[in-house]
Amino acid sequence: MKTLNAKIMFFFCCSILFSACKKDSGQQEADKEAPAKKQSNANVALATCCWIGTTNQASDTMEAYDPAVTSWASPKWSFKPTTALGYSSTAEIPLWGDAVDLKVRNNNHWGSGQVIVAHANRLSVIAKYPGGQRIWATGFPTDAGIHGIEILPDGNCVVAAAGTSAGTGGNYIRIYSSSQAAPNQYVNTIYPLTSAHQVLWDPSQNCLWAIGATLNKYAYNTAANGGTVSNPKLSLLMSYSLSTITPWGHDIATYDGDTNKLLVTTNGGVYVFSKSAGAFIPGAITGAAQRPFVNSVSTLPGQNIMVQTYKDPGCTFNGWCANHVDFYNLATGAFLYSRTVSTAAFYRGKSFDPNY
């Protein structure tokens, strides 16, 4: 993620003009953290809800932390591809870089119980959790700008490609037959979506959501689209405009306690979408939680807590990072606390929830 979509960069520049001040010091961790220690995954238990899964672009590493612990000096779990985990030293590891997206899912397709899907720079992977052993991986050109990835219950996966300001790639979601054995695990189909940033499987409606310039809802492998597990297909069911809120979507997530709602972030704010109404709910997110340029959003199930990472001017590693993850009251939007790693450059920090 060395470059960003040109349109997103425009909004980033504009934001500096109207919000140049840094976050209130009262919302920061008082103590500075030591550099994160290397974490062995040998004795890490299967994921239960919920640590916070982060994408640290300063170290090119996926890391999980416990939000109940004030000091994030050392992650509970970490991952990056290595030859010892089965990744190619020539075709795959060199494509890994700025960490972008991470999810852990209950998925027994490969007999491992749980898997992660992750993307960094130009490489998307599916790996066993917690060990990180390679299951599937694929690379992308430099101008694809992959921002999101999701694994489907049958073991297939979907990526969201935003494109970059340096090329003409991206602007699509792509579904892969990653569940299949070699040589059939790379069958794929592309569907256009301008500035595609995130994808999310919805078991309550048996559909896929994707966000970019619009919020789209897709059916998966139906009689109408002819898709199969070995040649997966999507059908666009609905495309919802962001014109009633603010443009350029960044992230989508489930809403704790209500399967009829989605959390959505854009360049301009944080919103709640009603699936049954097919519309955004006015004023649903208020207080300190309502702010622009939130890169990721999620909830801690059963805790009434919203989790955010925010494009913070205090993080100087690049123009979109943060060195902390923020926690809010989901109902009121009131700020609760932050967890800080002073050496980190987080792009996303989300609930490490193995359930869809």
Side-chain angles (χ1 to χ4, degrees):
M1 250 188 74
K2 302 297 184 187
T3 56
L4 289 175
N5 183 284
K7 294 177 180 176
I8 295 174
M9 282 299 293
F10 170 78
F11 285 104
F12 279 177
C13 293
C14 291
S15 73
I16 296 172
L17 297 177
F18 69 79
S19 60
C21 60
K22 295 181 181 179
K23 185 185 292 184
D24 189 324
S25 60
Q27 297 183 7
Q28 302 288 345
E29 280 295 299
D31 59 325
K32 295 294 184 180
E33 304 294 349
K37 300 174 184 177
K38 186 174 181 181
Q39 172 71 27
S40 170
N41 295 329
N43 298 314
V44 176
L46 292 182
T48 57
C49 206
C50 285
W51 290 343
I52 302 300
T54 66
T55 58
N56 187 352
Q57 299 193 340
S59 60
D60 299 334
T61 307
M62 307 297 176
E63 300 165 348
Y65 295 88
D66 185 351
V69 176
T70 302
S71 172
W72 279 14
S74 180
K76 298 295 185 181
W77 171 88
S78 64
F79 166 79
K80 65 168 54 177
T82 65
T83 54
L85 294 174
Y87 297 87
S88 167
S89 62
T90 56
E92 294 171 347
I93 293 175
L95 300 183
W96 187 264
D98 286 344
V100 175
D101 199 32
L102 167 69
K103 296 180 179 77
V104 61
R105 296 300 190 204
N106 291 321
N107 189 299
N108 203 39
H109 179 75
W110 294 277
S112 57
Q114 291 182 344
V115 299
I116 61 163
V117 281
H119 182 87
N121 194 22
R122 295 173 54 199
L123 188 71
S124 289
V125 307
I126 302 173
K128 294 181 179 181
Y129 179 81
Q133 294 86 359
R134 183 191 187 280
I135 292 174
W136 177 91
T138 193
F140 294 88
T142 55
D143 62 354
I146 306 297
H147 277 59
I149 185 168
E150 176 69 293
I151 189 166
L152 305 178
D154 62 6
N156 290 335
C157 70
V158 187
V159 299
T164 70
S165 59
T168 57
N171 298 304
Y172 61 78
I173 62 171
R174 174 182 272 176
I175 187 165
Y176 283 93
S177 61
S178 52
S179 66
Q180 301 302 290
N184 302 312
Q185 71 271 48
Y186 296 108
V187 176
N188 65 86
T189 303
I190 290 177
Y191 302 88
L193 175 56
T194 301
S195 192
H197 265 67
Q198 187 58 282
V199 279
L200 177 71
W201 178 251
D202 183 349
S204 70
Q205 298 196 0
N206 202 38
C207 71
L208 181 80
W209 296 92
I211 195 164
T214 57
L215 175 65
N216 288 0
K217 178 181 180 181
Y218 298 88
Y220 174 56
N221 281 359
T222 65
N225 64 34
T228 64
V229 67
S230 60
N231 187 13
K233 302 290 184 182
L234 299 170
S235 298
L236 181 63
L237 296 174
M238 290 294 296
S239 184
Y240 300 97
S241 173
L242 304 183
S243 62
T244 59
I245 49 170
T246 54
W248 305 114
H250 279 288
D251 199 19
I252 46 177
T254 57
Y255 188 101
D256 181 33
D258 193 338
T259 58
N260 185 50
K261 294 177 179 177
L262 291 173
L263 284 167
V264 172
T265 72
T266 71
N267 275 7
V270 184
Y271 307 94
V272 175
F273 180 81
S274 168
K275 300 174 190 177
S276 59
F280 292 92
I281 302 172
I285 302 298
T286 59
Q290 181 53 268
R291 55 185 181 169
F293 301 110
V294 171
N295 287 325
S296 70
V297 68
S298 59
T299 55
L300 294 179
Q303 300 184 48
N304 192 40
I305 292 177
M306 180 194 304
V307 185
Q308 294 184 4
T309 51
Y310 164 71
K311 186 191 77 68
D312 189 348
C315 182
T316 59
F317 183 79
N318 53 42
W320 53 86
C321 67
N323 61 13
H324 54 89
V325 177
D326 301 324
F327 299 79
Y328 298 86
N329 183 292
L330 177 61
T332 67
F335 174 78
L336 299 176
Y337 54 89
S338 290
R339 297 290 184 253
T340 300
V341 180
S342 60
T343 57
F346 296 136
Y347 177 61
R348 286 187 172 126
K350 294 173 69 80
S351 173
F352 205 50
D353 188 352
N355 300 301
Y356 287 97

